[in-house]
Amino acid sequence: MGSEKVIEEKKQGQALLTDHKQGNHKKLFIESYGCQMNLNDTEIVASILSEEGYNTTHLLEEADLVLVNTCSIREKAEQTVRKRLEKYNAVKKINPAMKVGVLGCMAERLKSKFLEEEKIVDLVVGPDAYKDLPNLLAEVSAGRDAVNVILSKEETYGDISPVRLNSNGVSAFVSITRGCDNMCTFCVVPFTRGRERSRDPKSILEEVRDLVAKNYKEITLLGQNVDSYLWYGGGLKKDFKNASEIAKATAVDFAQLLDLAATEFQKTRFRFSTSNPQDMSLDVIHTMAKHENICKYIHLPVQSGSTTVLERMNRQHTREEYMELIDNIKKILPECSLSQDMIAGFCGETEEEHQDTLSLMEYVQYDFGFMFAYSERPGTPAEKRMEDDVQLAVKKRRLNEIIQLQREHGAYRMEQFIGKNVEVLIEGTSKKSDAHWKGRNSQNAMVIFPKGDEQIGDFVDILVEDCTSATLLGKRA
Ligand code: SF4
């Protein structure tokens, strides 16, 4: 679930812009909420609509079409979208010809109910139906409501080259899997994004080749569960067992895909997100060790440090198995940074189980974390079968304890860089000072240093001299 929440703040709720295609006259205002997968999907949508005569605009008032790509992971994410719809409604009074569409997980969850609940909405499109957008827009032009929320067994958008929205020209996302088969009891993703399927490695490598030719320097391979990647000629992961012997023998797993990408593009950095503990193989860790250009950072959501809570969450691994995986990562990749997702106050969580979460955090000492109090999501197994019985005040207190501990560990991990040289890929000018660059090291820590004659997209060695809780400060080594 980690990828559901790591979208960069700056990209949330802003109109996303791309280079304009000559001859396009219609104007598209498009926004993306939620995870990096959503942002990448938004880029796919902009690419499909660019072929339909749309260029992006940052002015809501002049848009012919407004699209919002939505997230359902928490109630708050859905409330944010509802507020945006109110804003669109106000603008539609000035520009009545403007059409409004809702994309993504919330569209999939609410389906045509959306049209009843939000009168402003003209079209509702689920995550696997974006290629149907031209037909749906024709329906809307003909004065009919348009809904397509059919989930696919095959769709990976492997044949669409996404346009890069609000790009820094340095880092880009490439999606490699869609959907998730894990059925964690608290999660809506299996219902909104469907069953797990992988994209043809040829089309993945082609997209990377294209990005490298355009001078991109860092590629993040994306999926709800990247470690579960398995290409055997197409189709759902769950059907692999029925594949032919030839398909099985020539199948490509995530470690092999990483190896292929890192070997072919040695000057390009690779990251990946999100990993699920039960699917992360030793082969992946060894492949990371083999290639310097695979960043030494793993986002490894655990959600709870208690085996009994993990069982209720249907996480398919125990506390001990997770610790063994951490031991292997630390042994094979001693310089690797780690981040977590944690849920405080899941159904039935006792004080002892909460203490298990804190003690697991002490064991791992994560660099970063994404921490939330449990909030029930409609339609999930937890909502149907379990009681959301931890008092809100208790959830909040436990969450604060988790956040406080993460702060201590994050600060400790940052201090370990002081006095060391780190390689930084320059992403742009620091938000706080025009005289400084910002970029990240392999471990995903943000590094700030004074500008010299470097350029955006350069790799530079930086001597770390100081740090704040979230940033390393240094100078050219
Ligand atoms: S079902 Fe579990 S593994 Fe899959 S996206 Fe949700 S939290 Fe992540």
Side-chain angles (χ1 to χ4, degrees), residues 42-84:
T42 305
E43 294 179 330
I44 287 166
V45 168
S47 171
I48 291 168
L49 291 181
S50 160
E51 297 303 314
E52 297 297 309
Y54 286 91
N55 279 336
T56 52
T57 174
H58 66 281
L59 292 174
L60 185 53
E61 292 73 12
E62 68 170 25
D64 299 298
L65 176 64
V66 176
L67 294 177
V68 57
N69 199 353
T70 60
C71 170
S72 273
I73 203 80
R74 263 171 291 281
E75 203 184 333
K76 194 165 171 278
E78 294 202 352
Q79 283 164 356
T80 309
V81 169
R82 303 264 185 195
K83 283 220 178 76
R84 288 305 286 161

mmCIF file of all heavy atoms in Angstrom, residues 42-84:
data_model
loop_
_atom_site.group_PDB
_atom_site.id
_atom_site.type_symbol
_atom_site.label_atom_id
_atom_site.label_comp_id
_atom_site.label_asym_id
_atom_site.label_seq_id
_atom_site.Cartn_x
_atom_site.Cartn_y
_atom_site.Cartn_z
ATOM 1 N N THR A 42 -2.330 9.210 -14.823
ATOM 2 C CA THR A 42 -2.753 10.525 -15.315
ATOM 3 C C THR A 42 -1.938 10.896 -16.551
ATOM 4 O O THR A 42 -2.467 11.477 -17.509
ATOM 5 C CB THR A 42 -2.592 11.572 -14.192
ATOM 6 O OG1 THR A 42 -3.325 11.102 -13.062
ATOM 7 C CG2 THR A 42 -3.120 12.934 -14.583
ATOM 8 N N GLU A 43 -0.662 10.519 -16.544
ATOM 9 C CA GLU A 43 0.190 10.770 -17.715
ATOM 10 C C GLU A 43 -0.288 9.953 -18.917
ATOM 11 O O GLU A 43 -0.245 10.408 -20.056
ATOM 12 C CB GLU A 43 1.651 10.442 -17.366
ATOM 13 C CG GLU A 43 2.211 11.392 -16.306
ATOM 14 C CD GLU A 43 3.648 11.095 -15.894
ATOM 15 O OE1 GLU A 43 4.067 9.930 -15.936
ATOM 16 O OE2 GLU A 43 4.356 12.036 -15.513
ATOM 17 N N ILE A 44 -0.759 8.732 -18.636
ATOM 18 C CA ILE A 44 -1.300 7.884 -19.720
ATOM 19 C C ILE A 44 -2.574 8.528 -20.287
ATOM 20 O O ILE A 44 -2.758 8.603 -21.506
ATOM 21 C CB ILE A 44 -1.569 6.449 -19.178
ATOM 22 C CG1 ILE A 44 -0.230 5.731 -18.983
ATOM 23 C CG2 ILE A 44 -2.487 5.659 -20.103
ATOM 24 C CD1 ILE A 44 -0.293 4.476 -18.164
ATOM 25 N N VAL A 45 -3.428 9.032 -19.394
ATOM 26 C CA VAL A 45 -4.675 9.678 -19.831
ATOM 27 C C VAL A 45 -4.363 10.917 -20.682
ATOM 28 O O VAL A 45 -4.962 11.121 -21.749
ATOM 29 C CB VAL A 45 -5.544 10.059 -18.603
ATOM 30 C CG1 VAL A 45 -6.685 10.975 -18.998
ATOM 31 C CG2 VAL A 45 -6.093 8.799 -17.944
ATOM 32 N N ALA A 46 -3.406 11.726 -20.231
ATOM 33 C CA ALA A 46 -3.044 12.933 -20.995
ATOM 34 C C ALA A 46 -2.519 12.547 -22.376
ATOM 35 O O ALA A 46 -2.780 13.238 -23.367
ATOM 36 C CB ALA A 46 -2.004 13.744 -20.225
ATOM 37 N N SER A 47 -1.806 11.408 -22.440
ATOM 38 C CA SER A 47 -1.281 10.944 -23.719
ATOM 39 C C SER A 47 -2.429 10.518 -24.648
ATOM 40 O O SER A 47 -2.456 10.877 -25.836
ATOM 41 C CB SER A 47 -0.319 9.781 -23.447
ATOM 42 O OG SER A 47 0.046 9.166 -24.623
ATOM 43 N N ILE A 48 -3.393 9.780 -24.099
ATOM 44 C CA ILE A 48 -4.547 9.331 -24.912
ATOM 45 C C ILE A 48 -5.318 10.561 -25.419
ATOM 46 O O ILE A 48 -5.692 10.638 -26.594
ATOM 47 C CB ILE A 48 -5.467 8.408 -24.066
ATOM 48 C CG1 ILE A 48 -4.754 7.081 -23.780
ATOM 49 C CG2 ILE A 48 -6.808 8.168 -24.770
ATOM 50 C CD1 ILE A 48 -5.422 6.200 -22.733
ATOM 51 N N LEU A 49 -5.506 11.556 -24.546
ATOM 52 C CA LEU A 49 -6.314 12.724 -24.935
ATOM 53 C C LEU A 49 -5.554 13.681 -25.847
ATOM 54 O O LEU A 49 -6.162 14.437 -26.602
ATOM 55 C CB LEU A 49 -6.836 13.437 -23.690
ATOM 56 C CG LEU A 49 -7.890 12.617 -22.925
ATOM 57 C CD1 LEU A 49 -8.384 13.373 -21.713
ATOM 58 C CD2 LEU A 49 -9.075 12.254 -23.825
ATOM 59 N N SER A 50 -4.238 13.616 -25.775
ATOM 60 C CA SER A 50 -3.445 14.437 -26.699
ATOM 61 C C SER A 50 -3.733 14.012 -28.143
ATOM 62 O O SER A 50 -3.782 14.828 -29.072
ATOM 63 C CB SER A 50 -1.969 14.281 -26.324
ATOM 64 O OG SER A 50 -1.165 14.638 -27.369
ATOM 65 N N GLU A 51 -3.970 12.705 -28.327
ATOM 66 C CA GLU A 51 -4.336 12.187 -29.665
ATOM 67 C C GLU A 51 -5.762 12.587 -30.054
ATOM 68 O O GLU A 51 -6.179 12.434 -31.191
ATOM 69 C CB GLU A 51 -4.221 10.649 -29.701
ATOM 70 C CG GLU A 51 -2.814 10.127 -29.472
ATOM 71 C CD GLU A 51 -1.816 10.686 -30.469
ATOM 72 O OE1 GLU A 51 -2.130 10.692 -31.662
ATOM 73 O OE2 GLU A 51 -0.731 11.135 -30.040
ATOM 74 N N GLU A 52 -6.534 13.042 -29.084
ATOM 75 C CA GLU A 52 -7.929 13.444 -29.331
ATOM 76 C C GLU A 52 -8.066 14.961 -29.431
ATOM 77 O O GLU A 52 -9.172 15.504 -29.336
ATOM 78 C CB GLU A 52 -8.830 12.936 -28.190
ATOM 79 C CG GLU A 52 -8.882 11.431 -28.080
ATOM 80 C CD GLU A 52 -9.486 10.780 -29.328
ATOM 81 O OE1 GLU A 52 -10.568 11.209 -29.735
ATOM 82 O OE2 GLU A 52 -8.833 9.879 -29.886
ATOM 83 N N GLY A 53 -6.938 15.658 -29.537
ATOM 84 C CA GLY A 53 -6.992 17.108 -29.756
ATOM 85 C C GLY A 53 -6.907 17.963 -28.491
ATOM 86 O O GLY A 53 -7.160 19.164 -28.544
ATOM 87 N N TYR A 54 -6.538 17.356 -27.350
ATOM 88 C CA TYR A 54 -6.474 18.122 -26.094
ATOM 89 C C TYR A 54 -5.036 18.483 -25.719
ATOM 90 O O TYR A 54 -4.165 17.611 -25.691
ATOM 91 C CB TYR A 54 -7.061 17.314 -24.933
ATOM 92 C CG TYR A 54 -8.564 17.211 -24.963
ATOM 93 C CD1 TYR A 54 -9.192 16.149 -25.615
ATOM 94 C CD2 TYR A 54 -9.354 18.154 -24.322
ATOM 95 C CE1 TYR A 54 -10.569 16.039 -25.644
ATOM 96 C CE2 TYR A 54 -10.743 18.050 -24.343
ATOM 97 C CZ TYR A 54 -11.343 17.001 -25.005
ATOM 98 O OH TYR A 54 -12.706 16.891 -25.021
ATOM 99 N N ASN A 55 -4.813 19.738 -25.387
ATOM 100 C CA ASN A 55 -3.594 20.158 -24.708
ATOM 101 C C ASN A 55 -3.950 20.539 -23.274
ATOM 102 O O ASN A 55 -5.062 20.983 -23.004
ATOM 103 C CB ASN A 55 -2.967 21.374 -25.398
ATOM 104 C CG ASN A 55 -2.146 20.970 -26.606
ATOM 105 O OD1 ASN A 55 -1.673 19.834 -26.689
ATOM 106 N ND2 ASN A 55 -1.975 21.885 -27.542
ATOM 107 N N THR A 56 -2.995 20.378 -22.347
ATOM 108 C CA THR A 56 -3.295 20.686 -20.938
ATOM 109 C C THR A 56 -3.257 22.200 -20.692
ATOM 110 O O THR A 56 -2.549 22.935 -21.371
ATOM 111 C CB THR A 56 -2.280 20.004 -19.999
ATOM 112 O OG1 THR A 56 -0.977 20.334 -20.430
ATOM 113 C CG2 THR A 56 -2.482 18.515 -19.960
ATOM 114 N N THR A 57 -4.049 22.620 -19.690
ATOM 115 C CA THR A 57 -4.033 24.020 -19.266
ATOM 116 C C THR A 57 -3.987 24.067 -17.741
ATOM 117 O O THR A 57 -4.457 23.128 -17.081
ATOM 118 C CB THR A 57 -5.287 24.778 -19.745
ATOM 119 O OG1 THR A 57 -5.276 26.081 -19.172
ATOM 120 C CG2 THR A 57 -6.590 24.087 -19.323
ATOM 121 N N HIS A 58 -3.423 25.140 -17.175
ATOM 122 C CA HIS A 58 -3.455 25.255 -15.717
ATOM 123 C C HIS A 58 -4.604 26.164 -15.281
ATOM 124 O O HIS A 58 -4.789 26.430 -14.111
ATOM 125 C CB HIS A 58 -2.119 25.755 -15.174
ATOM 126 C CG HIS A 58 -1.782 27.144 -15.573
ATOM 127 N ND1 HIS A 58 -1.278 27.438 -16.811
ATOM 128 C CD2 HIS A 58 -1.905 28.315 -14.919
ATOM 129 C CE1 HIS A 58 -1.104 28.740 -16.905
ATOM 130 N NE2 HIS A 58 -1.466 29.296 -15.771
ATOM 131 N N LEU A 59 -5.390 26.660 -16.275
ATOM 132 C CA LEU A 59 -6.512 27.542 -15.953
ATOM 133 C C LEU A 59 -7.823 26.773 -16.015
ATOM 134 O O LEU A 59 -8.307 26.429 -17.094
ATOM 135 C CB LEU A 59 -6.563 28.712 -16.940
ATOM 136 C CG LEU A 59 -5.408 29.707 -16.849
ATOM 137 C CD1 LEU A 59 -5.503 30.721 -17.976
ATOM 138 C CD2 LEU A 59 -5.404 30.401 -15.497
ATOM 139 N N LEU A 60 -8.355 26.518 -14.850
ATOM 140 C CA LEU A 60 -9.617 25.785 -14.762
ATOM 141 C C LEU A 60 -10.713 26.480 -15.574
ATOM 142 O O LEU A 60 -11.504 25.828 -16.267
ATOM 143 C CB LEU A 60 -10.004 25.713 -13.265
ATOM 144 C CG LEU A 60 -11.217 24.924 -12.852
ATOM 145 C CD1 LEU A 60 -11.178 23.501 -13.386
ATOM 146 C CD2 LEU A 60 -11.336 24.905 -11.335
ATOM 147 N N GLU A 61 -10.716 27.805 -15.523
ATOM 148 C CA GLU A 61 -11.779 28.602 -16.156
ATOM 149 C C GLU A 61 -11.835 28.419 -17.668
ATOM 150 O O GLU A 61 -12.885 28.576 -18.274
ATOM 151 C CB GLU A 61 -11.598 30.095 -15.850
ATOM 152 C CG GLU A 61 -11.829 30.485 -14.395
ATOM 153 C CD GLU A 61 -10.705 30.040 -13.459
ATOM 154 O OE1 GLU A 61 -9.626 29.623 -13.964
ATOM 155 O OE2 GLU A 61 -10.899 30.066 -12.233
ATOM 156 N N GLU A 62 -10.705 28.080 -18.301
ATOM 157 C CA GLU A 62 -10.711 27.976 -19.765
ATOM 158 C C GLU A 62 -10.819 26.529 -20.252
ATOM 159 O O GLU A 62 -10.792 26.269 -21.453
ATOM 160 C CB GLU A 62 -9.467 28.655 -20.368
ATOM 161 C CG GLU A 62 -8.176 27.944 -20.058
ATOM 162 C CD GLU A 62 -6.996 28.477 -20.860
ATOM 163 O OE1 GLU A 62 -7.033 29.645 -21.290
ATOM 164 O OE2 GLU A 62 -6.039 27.705 -21.055
ATOM 165 N N ALA A 63 -10.978 25.583 -19.310
ATOM 166 C CA ALA A 63 -10.949 24.169 -19.700
ATOM 167 C C ALA A 63 -12.228 23.749 -20.430
ATOM 168 O O ALA A 63 -13.325 24.148 -20.066
ATOM 169 C CB ALA A 63 -10.765 23.306 -18.462
ATOM 170 N N ASP A 64 -12.042 22.919 -21.486
ATOM 171 C CA ASP A 64 -13.191 22.251 -22.109
ATOM 172 C C ASP A 64 -13.524 20.985 -21.334
ATOM 173 O O ASP A 64 -14.666 20.572 -21.264
ATOM 174 C CB ASP A 64 -12.851 21.869 -23.560
ATOM 175 C CG ASP A 64 -12.528 23.098 -24.390
ATOM 176 O OD1 ASP A 64 -13.422 23.948 -24.528
ATOM 177 O OD2 ASP A 64 -11.372 23.222 -24.853
ATOM 178 N N LEU A 65 -12.458 20.380 -20.798
ATOM 179 C CA LEU A 65 -12.630 19.125 -20.067
ATOM 180 C C LEU A 65 -11.795 19.173 -18.789
ATOM 181 O O LEU A 65 -10.617 19.529 -18.825
ATOM 182 C CB LEU A 65 -12.155 17.957 -20.965
ATOM 183 C CG LEU A 65 -12.155 16.570 -20.354
ATOM 184 C CD1 LEU A 65 -13.567 16.116 -19.982
ATOM 185 C CD2 LEU A 65 -11.531 15.551 -21.320
ATOM 186 N N VAL A 66 -12.436 18.826 -17.675
ATOM 187 C CA VAL A 66 -11.732 18.755 -16.390
ATOM 188 C C VAL A 66 -11.757 17.307 -15.930
ATOM 189 O O VAL A 66 -12.825 16.692 -15.865
ATOM 190 C CB VAL A 66 -12.423 19.646 -15.329
ATOM 191 C CG1 VAL A 66 -11.759 19.490 -13.972
ATOM 192 C CG2 VAL A 66 -12.407 21.096 -15.768
ATOM 193 N N LEU A 67 -10.567 16.768 -15.638
ATOM 194 C CA LEU A 67 -10.503 15.391 -15.147
ATOM 195 C C LEU A 67 -9.771 15.365 -13.816
ATOM 196 O O LEU A 67 -8.758 16.051 -13.645
ATOM 197 C CB LEU A 67 -9.757 14.499 -16.145
ATOM 198 C CG LEU A 67 -10.431 14.277 -17.496
ATOM 199 C CD1 LEU A 67 -9.540 13.431 -18.402
ATOM 200 C CD2 LEU A 67 -11.793 13.613 -17.341
ATOM 201 N N VAL A 68 -10.293 14.582 -12.881
ATOM 202 C CA VAL A 68 -9.595 14.431 -11.608
ATOM 203 C C VAL A 68 -9.376 12.937 -11.376
ATOM 204 O O VAL A 68 -10.319 12.144 -11.422
ATOM 205 C CB VAL A 68 -10.362 15.125 -10.450
ATOM 206 C CG1 VAL A 68 -11.775 14.624 -10.289
ATOM 207 C CG2 VAL A 68 -9.603 14.981 -9.126
ATOM 208 N N ASN A 69 -8.100 12.575 -11.192
ATOM 209 C CA ASN A 69 -7.759 11.180 -10.924
ATOM 210 C C ASN A 69 -7.733 10.993 -9.413
ATOM 211 O O ASN A 69 -7.007 11.685 -8.706
ATOM 212 C CB ASN A 69 -6.406 10.825 -11.559
ATOM 213 C CG ASN A 69 -6.239 9.332 -11.703
ATOM 214 O OD1 ASN A 69 -7.067 8.547 -11.228
ATOM 215 N ND2 ASN A 69 -5.164 8.925 -12.349
ATOM 216 N N THR A 70 -8.549 10.076 -8.918
ATOM 217 C CA THR A 70 -8.875 10.053 -7.491
ATOM 218 C C THR A 70 -8.252 8.875 -6.749
ATOM 219 O O THR A 70 -7.850 7.880 -7.344
ATOM 220 C CB THR A 70 -10.403 9.934 -7.334
ATOM 221 O OG1 THR A 70 -10.807 8.715 -7.971
ATOM 222 C CG2 THR A 70 -11.114 11.112 -7.966
ATOM 223 N N CYS A 71 -8.239 9.024 -5.436
ATOM 224 C CA CYS A 71 -7.676 8.009 -4.538
ATOM 225 C C CYS A 71 -8.736 7.640 -3.505
ATOM 226 O O CYS A 71 -9.444 8.508 -3.013
ATOM 227 C CB CYS A 71 -6.448 8.608 -3.860
ATOM 228 S SG CYS A 71 -5.797 7.613 -2.519
ATOM 229 N N SER A 72 -8.823 6.362 -3.174
ATOM 230 C CA SER A 72 -9.834 5.891 -2.211
ATOM 231 C C SER A 72 -9.215 5.320 -0.949
ATOM 232 O O SER A 72 -9.913 4.749 -0.135
ATOM 233 C CB SER A 72 -10.670 4.772 -2.841
ATOM 234 O OG SER A 72 -11.739 5.309 -3.543
ATOM 235 N N ILE A 73 -7.908 5.460 -0.828
ATOM 236 C CA ILE A 73 -7.214 4.706 0.223
ATOM 237 C C ILE A 73 -7.677 5.113 1.623
ATOM 238 O O ILE A 73 -7.758 4.290 2.517
ATOM 239 C CB ILE A 73 -5.674 4.833 0.051
ATOM 240 C CG1 ILE A 73 -4.966 3.673 0.721
ATOM 241 C CG2 ILE A 73 -5.122 6.142 0.538
ATOM 242 C CD1 ILE A 73 -4.968 2.421 -0.089
ATOM 243 N N ARG A 74 -7.997 6.407 1.789
ATOM 244 C CA ARG A 74 -8.529 6.883 3.077
ATOM 245 C C ARG A 74 -9.690 7.824 2.815
ATOM 246 O O ARG A 74 -9.782 8.427 1.740
ATOM 247 C CB ARG A 74 -7.437 7.638 3.853
ATOM 248 C CG ARG A 74 -6.732 6.787 4.884
ATOM 249 C CD ARG A 74 -5.552 7.491 5.463
ATOM 250 N NE ARG A 74 -4.528 7.615 4.444
ATOM 251 C CZ ARG A 74 -3.722 6.637 4.084
ATOM 252 N NH1 ARG A 74 -3.783 5.475 4.691
ATOM 253 N NH2 ARG A 74 -2.841 6.802 3.133
ATOM 254 N N GLU A 75 -10.520 7.963 3.836
ATOM 255 C CA GLU A 75 -11.697 8.806 3.683
ATOM 256 C C GLU A 75 -11.294 10.245 3.346
ATOM 257 O O GLU A 75 -11.930 10.916 2.533
ATOM 258 C CB GLU A 75 -12.499 8.761 4.975
ATOM 259 C CG GLU A 75 -13.945 9.120 4.761
ATOM 260 C CD GLU A 75 -14.699 9.172 6.066
ATOM 261 O OE1 GLU A 75 -14.292 8.484 7.018
ATOM 262 O OE2 GLU A 75 -15.676 9.935 6.117
ATOM 263 N N LYS A 76 -10.192 10.670 3.969
ATOM 264 C CA LYS A 76 -9.752 12.050 3.769
ATOM 265 C C LYS A 76 -9.435 12.331 2.283
ATOM 266 O O LYS A 76 -9.753 13.392 1.753
ATOM 267 C CB LYS A 76 -8.499 12.315 4.625
ATOM 268 C CG LYS A 76 -8.147 13.752 4.762
ATOM 269 C CD LYS A 76 -7.153 13.953 5.899
ATOM 270 C CE LYS A 76 -6.647 15.370 5.894
ATOM 271 N NZ LYS A 76 -5.552 15.588 4.938
ATOM 272 N N ALA A 77 -8.849 11.333 1.627
ATOM 273 C CA ALA A 77 -8.508 11.494 0.202
ATOM 274 C C ALA A 77 -9.791 11.704 -0.605
ATOM 275 O O ALA A 77 -9.835 12.523 -1.538
ATOM 276 C CB ALA A 77 -7.761 10.269 -0.293
ATOM 277 N N GLU A 78 -10.843 10.979 -0.236
ATOM 278 C CA GLU A 78 -12.107 11.127 -0.958
ATOM 279 C C GLU A 78 -12.759 12.482 -0.667
ATOM 280 O O GLU A 78 -13.332 13.105 -1.556
ATOM 281 C CB GLU A 78 -13.061 9.979 -0.589
ATOM 282 C CG GLU A 78 -12.555 8.630 -1.079
ATOM 283 C CD GLU A 78 -13.650 7.588 -1.212
ATOM 284 O OE1 GLU A 78 -14.781 7.853 -0.777
ATOM 285 O OE2 GLU A 78 -13.361 6.513 -1.768
ATOM 286 N N GLN A 79 -12.632 12.929 0.592
ATOM 287 C CA GLN A 79 -13.206 14.245 0.931
ATOM 288 C C GLN A 79 -12.531 15.353 0.114
ATOM 289 O O GLN A 79 -13.181 16.301 -0.335
ATOM 290 C CB GLN A 79 -13.028 14.535 2.424
ATOM 291 C CG GLN A 79 -14.018 13.769 3.290
ATOM 292 C CD GLN A 79 -13.595 13.743 4.748
ATOM 293 O OE1 GLN A 79 -12.521 14.235 5.113
ATOM 294 N NE2 GLN A 79 -14.436 13.172 5.586
ATOM 295 N N THR A 80 -11.226 15.225 -0.065
ATOM 296 C CA THR A 80 -10.488 16.232 -0.841
ATOM 297 C C THR A 80 -11.056 16.333 -2.251
ATOM 298 O O THR A 80 -11.240 17.426 -2.794
ATOM 299 C CB THR A 80 -8.980 15.857 -0.907
ATOM 300 O OG1 THR A 80 -8.540 15.609 0.413
ATOM 301 C CG2 THR A 80 -8.144 16.944 -1.535
ATOM 302 N N VAL A 81 -11.349 15.177 -2.841
ATOM 303 C CA VAL A 81 -11.895 15.165 -4.206
ATOM 304 C C VAL A 81 -13.285 15.810 -4.232
ATOM 305 O O VAL A 81 -13.600 16.608 -5.127
ATOM 306 C CB VAL A 81 -11.923 13.719 -4.761
ATOM 307 C CG1 VAL A 81 -12.718 13.640 -6.050
ATOM 308 C CG2 VAL A 81 -10.504 13.224 -4.987
ATOM 309 N N ARG A 82 -14.091 15.500 -3.226
ATOM 310 C CA ARG A 82 -15.450 16.107 -3.164
ATOM 311 C C ARG A 82 -15.326 17.635 -3.112
ATOM 312 O O ARG A 82 -16.115 18.339 -3.730
ATOM 313 C CB ARG A 82 -16.198 15.629 -1.922
ATOM 314 C CG ARG A 82 -16.340 14.128 -1.833
ATOM 315 C CD ARG A 82 -17.668 13.652 -2.358
ATOM 316 N NE ARG A 82 -17.828 12.223 -2.153
ATOM 317 C CZ ARG A 82 -18.749 11.501 -2.747
ATOM 318 N NH1 ARG A 82 -19.590 12.052 -3.588
ATOM 319 N NH2 ARG A 82 -18.849 10.212 -2.511
ATOM 320 N N LYS A 83 -14.340 18.118 -2.363
ATOM 321 C CA LYS A 83 -14.151 19.578 -2.277
ATOM 322 C C LYS A 83 -13.755 20.156 -3.633
ATOM 323 O O LYS A 83 -14.206 21.227 -4.029
ATOM 324 C CB LYS A 83 -13.042 19.913 -1.259
ATOM 325 C CG LYS A 83 -13.487 19.799 0.164
ATOM 326 C CD LYS A 83 -12.908 20.950 1.016
ATOM 327 C CE LYS A 83 -13.392 20.858 2.447
ATOM 328 N NZ LYS A 83 -12.702 19.791 3.218
ATOM 329 N N ARG A 84 -12.911 19.418 -4.349
ATOM 330 C CA ARG A 84 -12.509 19.894 -5.679
ATOM 331 C C ARG A 84 -13.724 19.944 -6.603
ATOM 332 O O ARG A 84 -13.860 20.858 -7.413
ATOM 333 C CB ARG A 84 -11.442 18.975 -6.302
ATOM 334 C CG ARG A 84 -10.085 19.081 -5.675
ATOM 335 C CD ARG A 84 -9.555 20.492 -5.654
ATOM 336 N NE ARG A 84 -9.121 20.985 -6.946
ATOM 337 C CZ ARG A 84 -8.969 22.287 -7.251
ATOM 338 N NH1 ARG A 84 -9.266 23.204 -6.346
ATOM 339 N NH2 ARG A 84 -8.550 22.659 -8.444
#
